[in-house]
Amino acid sequence: MISFTGYIYFAFTPKFVMGGGGLHFGLDVRPASAWLDVSLDVFIQLKPFHYMADLRVSVGCAISIKVWFVHIRTSASVGATLHIGGPEPFEGYANVDLYLFSFTIHFGSQSRPAPPVDLFDFYKMH
């Protein structure tokens, strides 16, 4: 059996724009199965301008074996996540998950929170 599911979302406010979505593909051919998951989330702050985005990909497989009264299921998956933010300073990381271990690679400068909007600017946005 082949399955496919997905979702999307979008929101727009006076201060933020955000959107994203995800897809799941599945294949189930007893006793084995496999899947692929992909998702993207984007968040944009309008004033002061700042963005963040996350992209995630995961792929895996599993097998089920039944021997007399014992049911054994084993699975393995690998995945990766990419996170970026900016524009100033541009920063991010990539995380790779390889079944038995994972590692993260940071790039750009360290995150600093955006300066707050003063009360008058906040009032003008609304």
Side-chain angles (χ1 to χ4, degrees):
M1 177 169 81
I2 296 173
S3 64
F4 169 79
T5 56
Y7 66 92
I8 59 171
Y9 68 93
F10 179 79
F12 182 78
T13 69
K15 191 172 179 180
F16 302 105
V17 176
M18 58 192 101
L23 295 172
H24 171 80
F25 300 97
L27 175 64
D28 190 0
V29 182
R30 297 290 175 187
S33 60
W35 62 90
L36 168 68
D37 293 314
V38 178
S39 67
L40 173 68
D41 297 300
V42 178
F43 175 82
I44 300 170
Q45 179 177 311
L46 301 174
K47 190 171 182 180
F49 182 72
H50 184 74
Y51 62 85
M52 290 186 299
D54 289 307
L55 174 65
R56 289 174 292 281
V57 177
S58 175
V59 63
C61 61
I63 189 162
S64 298
I65 300 170
K66 187 173 182 182
V67 179
W68 293 341
F69 299 106
V70 179
H71 182 84
I72 300 169
R73 178 177 167 86
T74 185
S75 65
S77 65
V78 296
T81 300
L82 175 66
H83 171 83
I84 61 170
E88 292 295 330
F90 179 75
E91 55 89 22
Y93 64 85
N95 179 274
V96 179
D97 184 11
L98 301 171
Y99 187 59
L100 297 176
F101 65 94
S102 65
F103 60 92
T104 302
I105 301 168
H106 293 272
F107 54 88
S109 44
Q110 298 298 320
S111 291
R112 291 184 312 230
V117 176
D118 66 23
L119 186 58
F120 183 70
D121 287 339
F122 180 79
Y123 178 74
K124 287 192 310 186
M125 285 190 292
H126 293 82

Short mmCIF file of all heavy atoms in Angstrom, two decimals, residues 58-111:
data_model
loop_
_atom_site.label_atom_id
_atom_site.label_comp_id
_atom_site.label_asym_id
_atom_site.label_seq_id
_atom_site.Cartn_x
_atom_site.Cartn_y
_atom_site.Cartn_z
N SER A 58 13.58 13.32 6.41
CA SER A 58 13.83 12.06 7.11
C SER A 58 13.39 10.91 6.20
O SER A 58 12.33 10.99 5.57
CB SER A 58 13.06 12.03 8.42
OG SER A 58 13.20 10.77 9.05
N VAL A 59 14.19 9.87 6.16
CA VAL A 59 13.85 8.69 5.38
C VAL A 59 14.15 7.46 6.24
O VAL A 59 15.11 7.46 7.02
CB VAL A 59 14.62 8.64 4.03
CG1 VAL A 59 16.11 8.55 4.25
CG2 VAL A 59 14.14 7.52 3.16
N GLY A 60 13.31 6.46 6.14
CA GLY A 60 13.51 5.28 6.97
C GLY A 60 12.86 4.05 6.39
O GLY A 60 12.09 4.10 5.43
N CYS A 61 13.20 2.92 7.01
CA CYS A 61 12.60 1.65 6.61
C CYS A 61 12.47 0.77 7.84
O CYS A 61 13.14 0.97 8.85
CB CYS A 61 13.44 0.97 5.53
SG CYS A 61 15.11 0.58 6.07
N ALA A 62 11.60 -0.20 7.74
CA ALA A 62 11.35 -1.12 8.85
C ALA A 62 11.00 -2.48 8.29
O ALA A 62 10.51 -2.61 7.16
CB ALA A 62 10.23 -0.60 9.74
N ILE A 63 11.23 -3.50 9.09
CA ILE A 63 10.85 -4.85 8.71
C ILE A 63 10.29 -5.55 9.95
O ILE A 63 10.79 -5.37 11.06
CB ILE A 63 12.04 -5.63 8.10
CG1 ILE A 63 11.54 -6.95 7.53
CG2 ILE A 63 13.15 -5.83 9.10
CD1 ILE A 63 12.50 -7.59 6.56
N SER A 64 9.25 -6.32 9.74
CA SER A 64 8.62 -7.08 10.82
C SER A 64 8.71 -8.57 10.50
O SER A 64 8.39 -8.99 9.39
CB SER A 64 7.14 -6.70 10.95
OG SER A 64 7.01 -5.35 11.30
N ILE A 65 9.12 -9.32 11.49
CA ILE A 65 9.26 -10.76 11.33
C ILE A 65 8.54 -11.44 12.48
O ILE A 65 8.71 -11.06 13.64
CB ILE A 65 10.75 -11.18 11.32
CG1 ILE A 65 11.48 -10.49 10.17
CG2 ILE A 65 10.88 -12.69 11.23
CD1 ILE A 65 12.98 -10.64 10.23
N LYS A 66 7.74 -12.44 12.14
CA LYS A 66 7.04 -13.20 13.17
C LYS A 66 7.52 -14.65 13.11
O LYS A 66 7.41 -15.31 12.08
CB LYS A 66 5.53 -13.14 12.96
CG LYS A 66 4.76 -13.77 14.07
CD LYS A 66 3.27 -13.52 13.91
CE LYS A 66 2.53 -14.13 15.07
NZ LYS A 66 1.09 -13.96 14.95
N VAL A 67 8.09 -15.09 14.22
CA VAL A 67 8.58 -16.45 14.33
C VAL A 67 7.82 -17.09 15.49
O VAL A 67 8.00 -16.71 16.64
CB VAL A 67 10.10 -16.49 14.59
CG1 VAL A 67 10.59 -17.92 14.73
CG2 VAL A 67 10.84 -15.77 13.47
N TRP A 68 6.97 -18.03 15.18
CA TRP A 68 6.06 -18.66 16.12
C TRP A 68 5.27 -17.62 16.89
O TRP A 68 4.44 -16.95 16.32
CB TRP A 68 6.79 -19.63 17.05
CG TRP A 68 7.35 -20.84 16.35
CD1 TRP A 68 6.99 -21.35 15.14
CD2 TRP A 68 8.38 -21.68 16.83
NE1 TRP A 68 7.72 -22.44 14.84
CE2 TRP A 68 8.59 -22.67 15.88
CE3 TRP A 68 9.14 -21.70 17.99
CZ2 TRP A 68 9.52 -23.68 16.03
CZ3 TRP A 68 10.07 -22.70 18.14
CH2 TRP A 68 10.25 -23.68 17.18
N PHE A 69 5.55 -17.46 18.18
CA PHE A 69 4.79 -16.50 18.98
C PHE A 69 5.56 -15.20 19.22
O PHE A 69 5.13 -14.36 19.98
CB PHE A 69 4.42 -17.11 20.34
CG PHE A 69 3.58 -18.34 20.20
CD1 PHE A 69 4.10 -19.60 20.41
CD2 PHE A 69 2.25 -18.23 19.81
CE1 PHE A 69 3.33 -20.73 20.28
CE2 PHE A 69 1.46 -19.35 19.67
CZ PHE A 69 2.00 -20.61 19.90
N VAL A 70 6.69 -15.06 18.57
CA VAL A 70 7.53 -13.88 18.77
C VAL A 70 7.43 -12.97 17.55
O VAL A 70 7.60 -13.41 16.42
CB VAL A 70 9.00 -14.31 19.01
CG1 VAL A 70 9.88 -13.07 19.19
CG2 VAL A 70 9.12 -15.24 20.19
N HIS A 71 7.15 -11.72 17.84
CA HIS A 71 7.05 -10.72 16.78
C HIS A 71 8.22 -9.76 16.93
O HIS A 71 8.36 -9.09 17.96
CB HIS A 71 5.72 -9.97 16.89
CG HIS A 71 5.51 -8.97 15.81
ND1 HIS A 71 5.01 -9.31 14.58
CD2 HIS A 71 5.75 -7.64 15.76
CE1 HIS A 71 4.95 -8.23 13.83
NE2 HIS A 71 5.39 -7.20 14.53
N ILE A 72 9.06 -9.64 15.92
CA ILE A 72 10.24 -8.76 15.96
C ILE A 72 10.08 -7.69 14.90
O ILE A 72 9.80 -8.00 13.74
CB ILE A 72 11.54 -9.56 15.70
CG1 ILE A 72 11.71 -10.64 16.75
CG2 ILE A 72 12.73 -8.63 15.67
CD1 ILE A 72 12.81 -11.63 16.41
N ARG A 73 10.25 -6.44 15.32
CA ARG A 73 10.19 -5.32 14.37
C ARG A 73 11.47 -4.51 14.56
O ARG A 73 11.79 -4.09 15.67
CB ARG A 73 8.98 -4.43 14.61
CG ARG A 73 8.93 -3.24 13.67
CD ARG A 73 7.67 -2.42 13.89
NE ARG A 73 7.72 -1.13 13.23
CZ ARG A 73 7.37 -0.90 11.98
NH1 ARG A 73 6.96 -1.90 11.23
NH2 ARG A 73 7.44 0.31 11.48
N THR A 74 12.18 -4.28 13.50
CA THR A 74 13.37 -3.45 13.55
C THR A 74 13.26 -2.36 12.48
O THR A 74 12.66 -2.59 11.43
CB THR A 74 14.66 -4.29 13.36
OG1 THR A 74 15.78 -3.44 13.54
CG2 THR A 74 14.70 -4.94 12.01
N SER A 75 13.81 -1.20 12.80
CA SER A 75 13.71 -0.08 11.87
C SER A 75 14.99 0.75 11.93
O SER A 75 15.74 0.69 12.90
CB SER A 75 12.50 0.79 12.18
OG SER A 75 12.66 1.40 13.45
N ALA A 76 15.19 1.52 10.89
CA ALA A 76 16.33 2.44 10.82
C ALA A 76 15.89 3.67 10.05
O ALA A 76 15.06 3.58 9.14
CB ALA A 76 17.51 1.78 10.12
N SER A 77 16.43 4.80 10.45
CA SER A 77 16.10 6.03 9.73
C SER A 77 17.29 6.99 9.77
O SER A 77 18.14 6.91 10.66
CB SER A 77 14.87 6.70 10.34
OG SER A 77 15.14 7.12 11.66
N VAL A 78 17.34 7.84 8.78
CA VAL A 78 18.33 8.91 8.71
C VAL A 78 17.58 10.20 8.40
O VAL A 78 16.52 10.17 7.78
CB VAL A 78 19.43 8.65 7.66
CG1 VAL A 78 20.24 7.42 8.02
CG2 VAL A 78 18.85 8.51 6.28
N GLY A 79 18.13 11.30 8.87
CA GLY A 79 17.45 12.56 8.63
C GLY A 79 18.40 13.73 8.75
O GLY A 79 19.53 13.60 9.24
N ALA A 80 17.92 14.87 8.33
CA ALA A 80 18.71 16.09 8.41
C ALA A 80 17.77 17.27 8.62
O ALA A 80 16.63 17.27 8.16
CB ALA A 80 19.53 16.29 7.14
N THR A 81 18.29 18.27 9.35
CA THR A 81 17.57 19.51 9.59
C THR A 81 18.48 20.67 9.23
O THR A 81 19.65 20.67 9.62
CB THR A 81 17.15 19.63 11.07
OG1 THR A 81 16.32 18.54 11.42
CG2 THR A 81 16.42 20.93 11.33
N LEU A 82 17.96 21.63 8.50
CA LEU A 82 18.69 22.85 8.19
C LEU A 82 17.92 24.02 8.76
O LEU A 82 16.73 24.18 8.48
CB LEU A 82 18.86 23.02 6.68
CG LEU A 82 19.52 24.32 6.22
CD1 LEU A 82 20.97 24.37 6.69
CD2 LEU A 82 19.43 24.46 4.72
N HIS A 83 18.57 24.82 9.58
CA HIS A 83 17.97 26.01 10.18
C HIS A 83 18.80 27.22 9.76
O HIS A 83 20.02 27.21 9.90
CB HIS A 83 17.96 25.90 11.71
CG HIS A 83 17.56 27.18 12.38
ND1 HIS A 83 16.26 27.53 12.55
CD2 HIS A 83 18.30 28.20 12.88
CE1 HIS A 83 16.21 28.72 13.15
NE2 HIS A 83 17.44 29.14 13.36
N ILE A 84 18.12 28.25 9.24
CA ILE A 84 18.82 29.49 8.90
C ILE A 84 18.04 30.66 9.48
O ILE A 84 16.83 30.59 9.68
CB ILE A 84 19.01 29.68 7.38
CG1 ILE A 84 17.67 29.73 6.65
CG2 ILE A 84 19.91 28.62 6.80
CD1 ILE A 84 17.78 30.16 5.20
N GLY A 85 18.76 31.73 9.76
CA GLY A 85 18.16 32.95 10.27
C GLY A 85 18.95 34.14 9.78
O GLY A 85 20.14 34.05 9.52
N GLY A 86 18.30 35.27 9.69
CA GLY A 86 19.01 36.45 9.23
C GLY A 86 18.09 37.64 9.18
O GLY A 86 17.03 37.61 9.78
N PRO A 87 18.38 38.72 8.51
CA PRO A 87 19.51 38.87 7.61
C PRO A 87 20.81 39.23 8.32
O PRO A 87 21.88 38.86 7.88
CB PRO A 87 19.10 39.99 6.68
CG PRO A 87 18.21 40.85 7.50
CD PRO A 87 17.51 39.91 8.44
N GLU A 88 20.76 40.00 9.38
CA GLU A 88 21.99 40.39 10.08
C GLU A 88 21.84 40.04 11.54
O GLU A 88 20.95 40.56 12.20
CB GLU A 88 22.26 41.89 9.94
CG GLU A 88 22.61 42.30 8.54
CD GLU A 88 23.92 41.71 8.05
OE1 GLU A 88 24.81 41.46 8.88
OE2 GLU A 88 24.03 41.47 6.85
N PRO A 89 22.62 39.21 12.07
CA PRO A 89 23.66 38.43 11.42
C PRO A 89 23.06 37.16 10.81
O PRO A 89 22.11 36.60 11.33
CB PRO A 89 24.61 38.07 12.56
CG PRO A 89 23.70 37.97 13.75
CD PRO A 89 22.62 39.01 13.53
N PHE A 90 23.61 36.73 9.69
CA PHE A 90 23.19 35.48 9.09
C PHE A 90 23.77 34.34 9.92
O PHE A 90 24.94 34.34 10.26
CB PHE A 90 23.68 35.38 7.65
CG PHE A 90 23.30 34.09 6.98
CD1 PHE A 90 22.00 33.88 6.57
CD2 PHE A 90 24.22 33.09 6.81
CE1 PHE A 90 21.62 32.69 5.97
CE2 PHE A 90 23.87 31.89 6.22
CZ PHE A 90 22.56 31.69 5.79
N GLU A 91 22.93 33.39 10.30
CA GLU A 91 23.39 32.28 11.13
C GLU A 91 22.54 31.06 10.85
O GLU A 91 21.50 31.14 10.22
CB GLU A 91 23.31 32.65 12.61
CG GLU A 91 21.93 33.11 13.08
CD GLU A 91 21.01 32.00 13.54
OE1 GLU A 91 21.52 30.92 13.90
OE2 GLU A 91 19.80 32.20 13.55
N GLY A 92 23.01 29.92 11.33
CA GLY A 92 22.23 28.71 11.19
C GLY A 92 23.01 27.49 11.60
O GLY A 92 24.13 27.57 12.11
N TYR A 93 22.39 26.35 11.37
CA TYR A 93 23.04 25.07 11.65
C TYR A 93 22.41 23.99 10.79
O TYR A 93 21.28 24.12 10.31
CB TYR A 93 22.95 24.70 13.13
CG TYR A 93 21.55 24.47 13.64
CD1 TYR A 93 20.93 23.22 13.51
CD2 TYR A 93 20.83 25.49 14.24
CE1 TYR A 93 19.64 23.01 13.96
CE2 TYR A 93 19.55 25.29 14.70
CZ TYR A 93 18.96 24.04 14.56
OH TYR A 93 17.67 23.83 15.01
N ALA A 94 23.16 22.95 10.60
CA ALA A 94 22.67 21.75 9.93
C ALA A 94 22.88 20.60 10.90
O ALA A 94 23.98 20.43 11.44
CB ALA A 94 23.43 21.51 8.63
N ASN A 95 21.85 19.83 11.14
CA ASN A 95 21.93 18.68 12.03
C ASN A 95 21.67 17.44 11.19
O ASN A 95 20.67 17.36 10.48
CB ASN A 95 20.91 18.78 13.15
CG ASN A 95 20.95 17.59 14.06
OD1 ASN A 95 20.31 16.58 13.79
ND2 ASN A 95 21.71 17.69 15.14
N VAL A 96 22.57 16.47 11.29
CA VAL A 96 22.44 15.22 10.55
C VAL A 96 22.28 14.09 11.56
O VAL A 96 23.07 13.96 12.49
CB VAL A 96 23.69 14.98 9.66
CG1 VAL A 96 23.56 13.66 8.91
CG2 VAL A 96 23.87 16.14 8.69
N ASP A 97 21.23 13.30 11.39
CA ASP A 97 20.94 12.19 12.30
C ASP A 97 21.07 10.89 11.52
O ASP A 97 20.28 10.61 10.62
CB ASP A 97 19.52 12.34 12.85
CG ASP A 97 19.17 11.29 13.88
OD1 ASP A 97 20.08 10.57 14.34
OD2 ASP A 97 17.98 11.21 14.24
N LEU A 98 22.10 10.11 11.85
CA LEU A 98 22.39 8.86 11.15
C LEU A 98 22.17 7.67 12.09
O LEU A 98 23.09 7.21 12.74
CB LEU A 98 23.84 8.85 10.65
CG LEU A 98 24.22 9.96 9.69
CD1 LEU A 98 25.71 9.97 9.45
CD2 LEU A 98 23.47 9.80 8.39
N TYR A 99 20.98 7.23 12.22
CA TYR A 99 20.56 6.06 12.99
C TYR A 99 21.27 5.90 14.32
O TYR A 99 20.65 6.03 15.37
CB TYR A 99 20.69 4.79 12.15
CG TYR A 99 20.11 3.58 12.83
CD1 TYR A 99 18.77 3.57 13.20
CD2 TYR A 99 20.87 2.47 13.12
CE1 TYR A 99 18.22 2.47 13.84
CE2 TYR A 99 20.32 1.37 13.76
CZ TYR A 99 19.00 1.38 14.12
OH TYR A 99 18.47 0.29 14.76
N LEU A 100 22.58 5.65 14.36
CA LEU A 100 23.29 5.41 15.61
C LEU A 100 23.90 6.67 16.23
O LEU A 100 24.20 6.68 17.42
CB LEU A 100 24.40 4.37 15.41
CG LEU A 100 23.92 2.97 15.00
CD1 LEU A 100 25.12 2.08 14.73
CD2 LEU A 100 23.01 2.37 16.05
N PHE A 101 24.13 7.69 15.46
CA PHE A 101 24.72 8.92 15.99
C PHE A 101 24.26 10.11 15.18
O PHE A 101 23.73 9.96 14.08
CB PHE A 101 26.26 8.83 16.01
CG PHE A 101 26.88 8.76 14.65
CD1 PHE A 101 27.31 9.91 14.00
CD2 PHE A 101 27.02 7.55 13.99
CE1 PHE A 101 27.87 9.86 12.74
CE2 PHE A 101 27.60 7.48 12.73
CZ PHE A 101 28.02 8.64 12.11
N SER A 102 24.48 11.30 15.74
CA SER A 102 24.12 12.52 15.02
C SER A 102 25.20 13.57 15.29
O SER A 102 25.97 13.47 16.24
CB SER A 102 22.76 13.03 15.46
OG SER A 102 22.79 13.43 16.80
N PHE A 103 25.24 14.58 14.42
CA PHE A 103 26.16 15.68 14.60
C PHE A 103 25.54 16.95 14.06
O PHE A 103 24.64 16.91 13.22
CB PHE A 103 27.53 15.39 13.94
CG PHE A 103 27.46 15.15 12.46
CD1 PHE A 103 27.61 16.19 11.57
CD2 PHE A 103 27.24 13.87 11.97
CE1 PHE A 103 27.56 15.97 10.20
CE2 PHE A 103 27.18 13.63 10.61
CZ PHE A 103 27.33 14.69 9.72
N THR A 104 26.05 18.08 14.56
CA THR A 104 25.54 19.39 14.18
C THR A 104 26.68 20.27 13.70
O THR A 104 27.75 20.29 14.31
CB THR A 104 24.84 20.07 15.38
OG1 THR A 104 23.79 19.21 15.83
CG2 THR A 104 24.26 21.41 14.99
N ILE A 105 26.44 20.99 12.61
CA ILE A 105 27.42 21.93 12.06
C ILE A 105 26.80 23.33 12.14
O ILE A 105 25.75 23.58 11.54
CB ILE A 105 27.76 21.58 10.60
CG1 ILE A 105 28.32 20.17 10.51
CG2 ILE A 105 28.72 22.60 10.02
CD1 ILE A 105 28.40 19.64 9.10
N HIS A 106 27.44 24.21 12.89
CA HIS A 106 26.98 25.59 13.01
C HIS A 106 27.70 26.46 12.00
O HIS A 106 28.87 26.23 11.71
CB HIS A 106 27.24 26.13 14.42
CG HIS A 106 26.42 25.45 15.46
ND1 HIS A 106 25.17 25.87 15.80
CD2 HIS A 106 26.67 24.36 16.23
CE1 HIS A 106 24.68 25.08 16.74
NE2 HIS A 106 25.58 24.14 17.01
N PHE A 107 27.00 27.45 11.46
CA PHE A 107 27.64 28.39 10.54
C PHE A 107 27.09 29.79 10.79
O PHE A 107 26.04 29.95 11.40
CB PHE A 107 27.45 27.97 9.08
CG PHE A 107 26.02 27.75 8.68
CD1 PHE A 107 25.25 28.80 8.22
CD2 PHE A 107 25.45 26.48 8.77
CE1 PHE A 107 23.93 28.59 7.84
CE2 PHE A 107 24.14 26.27 8.40
CZ PHE A 107 23.38 27.32 7.94
N GLY A 108 27.83 30.78 10.31
CA GLY A 108 27.44 32.17 10.55
C GLY A 108 27.76 32.59 11.97
O GLY A 108 28.49 31.92 12.70
N SER A 109 27.20 33.71 12.38
CA SER A 109 27.46 34.20 13.73
C SER A 109 26.38 33.70 14.69
O SER A 109 25.37 33.15 14.29
CB SER A 109 27.53 35.72 13.73
OG SER A 109 26.48 36.25 12.97
N GLN A 110 26.61 33.91 15.97
CA GLN A 110 25.67 33.48 16.99
C GLN A 110 24.42 34.36 16.97
O GLN A 110 24.49 35.54 16.67
CB GLN A 110 26.32 33.54 18.37
CG GLN A 110 27.50 32.62 18.51
CD GLN A 110 27.11 31.15 18.33
OE1 GLN A 110 26.07 30.73 18.79
NE2 GLN A 110 27.94 30.40 17.63
N SER A 111 23.28 33.76 17.31
CA SER A 111 22.01 34.49 17.30
C SER A 111 21.99 35.59 18.37
O SER A 111 22.44 35.39 19.48
CB SER A 111 20.85 33.55 17.58
OG SER A 111 20.65 32.69 16.51
#
